[in-house]
Amino acid sequence: MSVVIGVLVHARRQEVFRQAASTITGTTARWGVHGAPEEVPDRLRELLSSPGVDGLLLGPHAYDAVRDQIPERMPVAVVRPGPLELALAVGRMRAEFPEHRRASIDSFDHHVIQEVATSLGVRHSALPYAPGQPVEEIVAHHREALRNGGVVLTPRRQVADSLRAEAPVVEVELPASTVRTQLQELALRVRADQAEDCRVAAGVFQIRDGDDVDRGRAALREFLLQDPQLAGSWVENRGRRGLVLFGHKALLERATSDWQVVPGLQRAERDMNVRIAAGFGLGPSVREGISLAERAVVRAEAEPYSCGFVIQDSGVIIGPIGGSGRRAEFAYRDHSAELERLARDVGLSPTTLSRLVSLERELHGRAVSPSELATLMGITDPSGRRLIRKLGTAELVTSEGSAQPTRRGRPTRLYRLRLGDVLGGSAPE
């Protein structure tokens, strides 16, 4: 089945995007072409209103304009020029304006500018990319930077047009190969999400106490069967006090509002005066899903109130979740394009990286041991050590000495998270 990608693109770059899309099989593009920033929201609404759009491909300025209007679960790729495009622009600058040795560069990430300028020996001033940066601010930066001469390197047509009469300008082009790469990655991510949604998830419900456990279990079973969100799932008895539920992962995510609500919990407490413990397991097989769900139920039964937990085969634990829509401890979503790129580079999921960003804010610069990080993330100690190693390889943590919690124990190293330093303004709120 073909993956349908909505492409939101400026009219002047439409041909490049169409050329990129024409060479990819198994992917169908639907086009939303705009000529001015104020048209972007209308084009987005038109794309989202057409049935079957699986993902969105758009440029950074269009994304800044409509990011709050994009559905939360919609996969998104933001196409931006990177090191290759900047290096090619430097080559054009040297060919077209050999008398100039200095460049004023805008709208690239800081690390991209440093990498290219250092490698190619370019003297430069830079205004790194920032969401919502006005054209007037960029133009003013270039005018100040070019007092002693130089060439403007910009991927923004409005900036280039504003400065052509005043200074040499090289407009950075976005080649079809860059667009094609982003489109392929987005299509692969959509297919991976679709495959993930089709995995079977399991839920185990236990009646913890009440005046009539048998009657409570029967009532809870009826509640679950009548829940329209669970239509298509399988519910059966599991022992005297329990029920087991099977369904596609996507179905259970919808029924639990993305793992924030336990279905039937409030009704069972209100109508039957019983307490419920619920566990959900996400694994590669039904057997593994049930095993994880049973572990999650044990966690839920340790709480003094009705609640549920979710355990994934990746080691992620979500909970406690209740019946009132209270947000779970680990429910983070706002993945910026920069965060998603960093997650791919590090080899972690955007969800895990987003949780680490949120945790870093809560720590306020305090260093933690791998074991404490594992506890805060709800994962095992070995998983915590592996996570620290990955973050260390990517220079997303710094070593801050060691601590000895007990007199007889071995010292443990401490680490400070520094994702905020790397992501800057791109980190999710």
Side-chain angles (χ1 to χ4, degrees):
M1 180 182 295
S2 180
V3 171
V4 179
I5 303 297
V7 183
L8 195 58
V9 61
H10 194 282
R12 70 181 179 86
R13 285 188 168 161
Q14 181 182 4
E15 185 57 36
V16 173
F17 276 66
R18 287 188 182 276
Q19 181 184 344
S22 67
T23 60
I24 299 178
T25 59
T27 301
T28 300
R30 290 192 186 154
W31 300 92
V33 181
H34 61 90
E38 57 270 18
E39 297 176 10
V40 175
D42 290 337
R43 300 293 85 79
L44 175 66
R45 281 192 289 271
E46 291 169 4
L47 283 174
L48 296 180
S49 63
S50 61
V53 173
D54 300 308
L56 283 175
L57 183 77
L58 66 173
H61 311 304
Y63 179 68
D64 291 342
V66 297
R67 61 182 302 171
D68 294 336
Q69 301 171 38
I70 297 174
E72 188 175 358
R73 294 177 60 84
M74 176 71 70
V76 174
V78 181
V79 183
R80 291 178 55 198
L84 173 61
E85 290 73 35
L86 183 55
L88 291 173
V90 170
R92 285 179 54 201
M93 178 190 85
R94 287 174 170 167
E96 297 175 15
F97 308 104
E99 69 277 15
H100 291 285
R101 294 290 182 269
R102 182 176 180 82
S104 181
I105 307 167
D106 72 75
S107 300
F108 287 86
D109 290 333
H110 178 75
H111 71 275
V112 171
I113 297 173
Q114 292 300 318
E115 175 188 339
V116 174
T118 301
S119 300
L120 299 181
V122 179
R123 295 173 54 210
H124 68 283
S125 63
L127 185 64
Y129 172 79
Q133 211 165 36
V135 171
E136 295 77 16
E137 179 182 323
I138 300 173
V139 170
H141 164 81
H142 287 305
R143 284 175 175 153
E144 178 68 24
L146 296 178
R147 284 184 175 181
N148 297 320
V151 179
V152 174
L153 302 185
T154 179
R156 302 190 61 166
R157 172 65 62 85
Q158 287 179 285
V159 174
D161 290 344
S162 298
L163 293 169
R164 287 189 201 279
E166 306 175 32
V169 175
V170 173
E171 188 174 353
V172 181
E173 300 294 338
L174 191 65
S177 58
T178 297
V179 179
R180 186 179 302 115
T181 299
Q182 290 288 337
L183 185 56
Q184 287 174 326
E185 289 183 359
L186 177 59
L188 288 173
R189 183 148 43 101
V190 168
R191 290 191 180 97
D193 289 346
Q194 290 173 343
E196 178 73 9
D197 286 344
C198 289
R199 290 207 303 169
V200 175
V204 173
F205 293 76
Q206 291 282 99
I207 305 297
R208 297 173 56 166
D209 53 31
D211 299 332
D212 189 337
V213 172
D214 290 330
R215 185 163 169 262
R217 184 196 63 179
L220 178 60
R221 184 174 188 273
E222 194 63 27
F223 293 156
L224 296 177
L225 290 172
Q226 292 177 0
D227 189 336
Q229 293 271 34
L230 291 172
S233 64
W234 182 271
V235 182
E236 64 180 39
N237 294 334
R238 185 174 180 84
R240 179 170 176 264
R241 296 189 303 127
L243 297 167
V244 63
L245 178 150
F246 301 99
H248 289 308
K249 175 175 176 284
L251 182 147
L252 285 188
E253 282 185 333
R254 287 195 300 271
T256 59
S257 298
D258 289 333
W259 311 119
Q260 296 182 64
V261 177
V262 178
L265 187 149
Q266 277 193 315
R267 290 187 62 187
E269 286 188 321
R270 182 184 67 242
D271 299 348
M272 303 303 302
N273 192 30
V274 296
R275 289 194 302 163
I276 306 295
F280 300 94
L282 307 177
S285 66
V286 173
R287 178 177 295 181
E288 181 70 11
I290 292 177
S291 175
L292 293 171
E294 288 176 335
R295 285 174 51 195
V297 164
V298 173
R299 291 287 300 267
E301 288 184 316
E303 300 292 332
Y305 49 85
S306 295
C307 68
F309 276 83
V310 184
I311 299 182
Q312 302 181 20
D313 56 340
S314 62
V316 171
I317 300 175
I318 302 173
I321 57 178
S324 60
R326 180 173 63 88
R327 182 167 290 276
E329 289 180 31
F330 299 143
Y332 308 111
R333 175 58 181 86
D334 186 13
H335 303 156
S336 67
E338 180 66 16
L339 186 144
E340 293 196 353
R341 283 196 294 271
L342 182 61
R344 288 196 299 271
D345 293 342
V346 178
L348 297 172
S349 71
T351 299
T352 298
L353 205 63
S354 181
R355 290 172 55 205
L356 285 166
V357 171
S358 298
L359 177 59
E360 180 181 350
R361 290 199 184 96
E362 295 172 9
L363 290 171
H364 298 292
R366 181 172 68 84
V368 294
S369 67
S371 177
E372 183 181 3
L373 179 67
T375 300
L376 293 171
M377 291 288 288
I379 58 179
T380 63
D381 280 3
S383 296
R385 290 191 292 272
R386 286 194 295 271
L387 183 57
I388 284 288
R389 285 197 295 271
K390 279 195 172 186
L391 295 173
T393 301
E395 299 183 344
L396 295 177
V397 294
T398 55
S399 178
E400 299 287 334
S402 61
Q404 190 166 4
T406 62
R407 294 180 62 183
R408 294 178 180 273
R410 296 171 59 185
T412 180
R413 295 195 66 81
L414 299 176
Y415 299 87
R416 182 179 67 82
L417 297 172
R418 56 179 302 269
L419 286 86
D421 297 342
V422 175
L423 290 168
S426 298
E429 293 298 335

